[in-house]
């Protein structure tokens, strides 16, 4: 099964409370049908489904989850590379937004206690630090 991702929109329209959206398309390997998968904030399911149904009549799965929206997560990478964060985290080696898990995965040289504590204070659970190297001791 392959998946294609989109951000904040599902086709040409906005979805209320969107956290993440993707499509499941078995690409011809079976006779299963295309499904639109959407995760929205708690309390947004019916509004999201109503909006989707204005434009799309196919199979769709809409689930609710508490956590940051895709738009909120997309703002975090700019903060992770600002001068205050870089002074503690060091040079960011790579990173990506993982909407399904609700985190920004960020790779630094060493993810020891100081950068991990800083990330937790500044972003709560929205930033997951991964170290390329292990701290000594």
């Amino acid at each position: 099964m392959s998946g294609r991702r989109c951000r904040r929109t599902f086709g040409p329209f906005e979805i209320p409370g969107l956290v993440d959206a993707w499509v499941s398309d078995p690409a011809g390997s079976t006779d299963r049908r295309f499904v639109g998968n959407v995760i929205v904030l708690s309390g947004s399911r019916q509004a999201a489904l109503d909006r989707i149904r204005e434009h799309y009549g196919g199979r769709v799965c809409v689930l609710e989850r508490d956590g940051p929206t895709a738009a909120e997560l997309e703002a975090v990478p700019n903060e992770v590379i600002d001068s205050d964060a870089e002074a503690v985290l060091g040079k960011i080696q790579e990173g990506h937004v993982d909407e399904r898990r609700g985190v920004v995965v960020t790779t630094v040289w060493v993810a020891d206690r100081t950068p991990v504590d800083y990330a937790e204070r500044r972003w709560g659970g929205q930033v997951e630090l991964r170290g390329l190297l292990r701290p000594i001791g």
Side-chain angles (χ1 to χ4, degrees):
M1 182 177 350
S2 65
R4 190 170 11 144
R5 312 205 25 107
C6 63
R7 301 203 196 305
R8 285 194 294 277
T9 62
F10 194 84
F13 56 93
E14 296 285 327
I15 296 176
L18 180 65
V19 172
D20 194 15
W22 67 97
V23 296
S24 299
D25 182 357
S29 60
T30 68
D31 60 357
R32 295 186 325 193
R33 292 186 260 159
F34 170 96
V35 177
N37 301 281
V38 181
I39 300 173
V40 295
L41 293 175
S42 293
S44 300
R45 183 183 184 282
Q46 192 59 54
L49 188 56
D50 291 346
R51 184 72 172 132
I52 291 166
R53 288 296 179 218
E54 290 175 11
H55 302 273
Y56 176 70
R59 293 172 51 144
V60 64
C61 176
V62 181
L63 302 173
E64 293 182 327
R65 180 185 84 198
D66 287 329
T69 64
E72 290 168 337
L73 283 175
E74 288 173 6
V76 174
N78 289 332
E79 295 176 20
V80 170
I81 61 171
D82 72 19
S83 58
D84 291 339
E86 190 173 273
V88 179
L89 303 176
K91 184 86 169 147
I92 304 302
Q93 301 305 305
E94 65 181 1
H96 67 276
V97 176
D98 184 340
E99 290 98 344
R100 290 185 195 175
R101 292 183 31 232
V103 297
V104 175
V105 179
T106 304
T107 303
V108 296
W109 280 108
V110 178
D112 61 8
R113 186 72 348 220
T114 300
V116 169
D117 288 347
Y118 174 83
E120 182 62 33
R121 280 192 313 276
R122 184 159 177 190
W123 299 289
Q126 290 184 348
V127 172
E128 176 184 293
L129 289 182
R130 295 184 181 171
L132 290 172
L133 304 174
R134 287 190 198 161
I136 297 175

